[in-house]
Each structure stands twice: as C-alpha cells, then as structure tokens.
Amino acid sequence: MVTSLARQAVIIKCGNDTSIITGNYELSYAVGFLMNQAGISLPEEAANLKEMRESVLREYEDKKPEDEKIRRLLRMVRLYNPSDEWDGQMEELLRSGLQEACPFDIHRE
C-alpha cells in the first residue's frame, strides 16, 4: 500500500510545477525511474539513497529531457535532501521505478 501511494504521489506531482518530494519513499521511486530513463544500472548493494540520487543528478547534469514531467521530476529530486533511512519498501520502490517504462499513466493494473 505504501509503495503504491508513493508511486502515485510522484506521478501526480510531476504534473505540477510547484510540487516537491516529501520523503525517502517518493525519492526512491523517482531515483529508480530516472535511473531507468538514463540507462544507469542498479548498484550491487542498493542501500545508499543519497549516492544513487547524486549519480542520477550527475547523469542529467548536462541533459535537458524533452518530457516536461521528467524535467519537473528532476527538479524535485534536486531539491529534496534525503535522510539516511533505508528500508525494504524503499528498495521495492526503487526497483519498481527501474522497471517503469511509462509511469505517467496512473491507471496501470
């Protein structure tokens, strides 16, 4: 349930210029999705959200994605400072984002 809500929150927030990420759960999904889009592989030990976030931001440093929602997502990821917290649900969200091809369709089954 938490993972579904965090995923949906991120997707909905990408439709608004003023939204922000409010927790590590949302960030985990966002980082996973952005890693997927950039072709970044999951590190062997996915346990440091801060490092994965920095890796994603470095990858997108000189890129401007065409999709407005992805640009908004990157802005939200840049603005959020994650805590050191990491748990199984965050890893599940990260892996879900890594497998997501088109997250902006919130009506998936």
Side-chain angles (χ1 to χ4, degrees), residues 45-62:
E45 195 170 309
N48 191 324
L49 189 54
K50 288 181 179 183
E51 287 178 11
M52 288 185 283
R53 174 186 167 271
E54 290 304 316
S55 175
V56 163
L57 292 177
R58 277 192 304 276
E59 183 65 32
Y60 281 95
E61 201 168 64
D62 297 325

Side-chain angles (χ1 to χ4, degrees), residues 20-82:
I20 59 170
I21 287 176
T22 58
N24 281 11
Y25 290 104
E26 291 177 8
L27 183 65
S28 297
Y29 175 79
V31 165
F33 172 70
L34 291 169
M35 288 172 73
N36 177 1
Q37 295 298 298
I40 301 171
S41 298
L42 182 64
E44 277 188 39
E45 195 170 309
N48 191 324
L49 189 54
K50 288 181 179 183
E51 287 178 11
M52 288 185 283
R53 174 186 167 271
E54 290 304 316
S55 175
V56 163
L57 292 177
R58 277 192 304 276
E59 183 65 32
Y60 281 95
E61 201 168 64
D62 297 325
K63 297 177 184 176
K64 185 173 182 182
E66 291 181 27
D67 190 316
E68 179 75 22
K69 291 180 179 182
I70 294 176
R71 288 196 303 269
R72 289 176 183 150
L73 183 58
L74 280 165
R75 180 191 56 78
M76 289 188 282
V77 168
R78 280 186 197 102
L79 291 173
Y80 182 73
N81 185 24

Side-chain angles (χ1 to χ4, degrees), residues 4 7-8 11-12 29 69 100 102-109:
S4 178
R7 176 187 175 273
Q8 286 183 354
I11 292 165
I12 291 167
Y29 175 79
K69 291 180 179 182
E100 191 82 62
C102 184
F104 304 117
D105 177 12
I106 63 172
H107 303 293
R108 82 169 185 176
E109 295 296 318

